Amino acid sequence: TKLHRPGPFLVVVPLSTITHWQRAFLTWTGLNTIVYHGSAEDRTNIRNHEFAFAADRPVSVGSNSIYLNKCAPHKSGGPWMATVVICTPEMLVAEDANELAALHWEVLVVDEAHRLKNHNSKLAMTLR
């Protein structure tokens, strides 16, 4: 059954289950699924190369600008290259949470929601 939703979908899971969730999406769906985790540099590379299609990426972004706000899909409402983004609760309160909050998420799936302790985070406020 098709949901007729273009995404992106945000899936927030404990670190210990992140590979299981990724494997399930890759095995059971044809959705482009990425894991958003790692060092600050790793996450920047993921945002810069895996969220938006190359044609939709900005040529340059100011040092204090939110990269994902500058991508064409955010402005035009077009599709994102990443359909499913899997991350941990810690990424929702990390220094780059503003980047994740810049997207209009179609669906938020939370495994172990009680782990989202910081209800005042920028992303948590955006998702309310």
Side-chain angles (χ1 to χ4, degrees):
T1 305
K2 293 188 177 194
L3 297 175
H4 303 290
R5 296 286 184 195
F9 310 113
L10 181 61
V11 181
V12 183
V13 302
L15 181 59
S16 62
T17 65
I18 208 164
T19 56
H20 303 293
W21 278 90
Q22 180 185 30
R23 184 173 42 246
F25 274 101
L26 295 174
T27 301
W28 297 101
T29 74
L31 302 175
N32 184 18
T33 303
I34 63 170
V35 172
Y36 187 75
H37 199 266
S39 69
E41 183 179 348
D42 292 338
R43 296 188 315 269
T44 297
N45 285 329
I46 291 168
R47 286 193 309 272
N48 291 351
H49 302 290
E50 296 188 40
F51 273 80
F53 290 102
D56 297 331
R57 297 176 192 149
V59 175
S60 65
V61 177
S63 60
N64 291 331
S65 295
I66 295 176
Y67 178 82
L68 295 175
N69 272 338
K70 304 293 183 185
C71 294
H74 182 71
K75 294 176 183 174
S76 67
W80 288 90
M81 185 169 72
T83 309
V84 177
V85 177
I86 303 171
C87 72
T88 62
E90 291 76 20
M91 293 300 102
L92 302 183
V93 294
E95 59 198 38
D96 57 349
N98 288 333
E99 289 282 357
L100 292 174
L103 274 75
H104 171 74
W105 299 100
E106 286 282 336
V107 174
L108 169 65
V109 176
V110 180
D111 182 358
E112 297 190 25
H114 65 276
R115 295 191 65 216
L116 295 176
K117 296 175 184 172
N118 188 347
H119 300 289
N120 294 321
S121 73
K122 189 78 145 174
L123 184 61
M125 288 188 283
T126 302
L127 295 171
R128 287 185 190 155

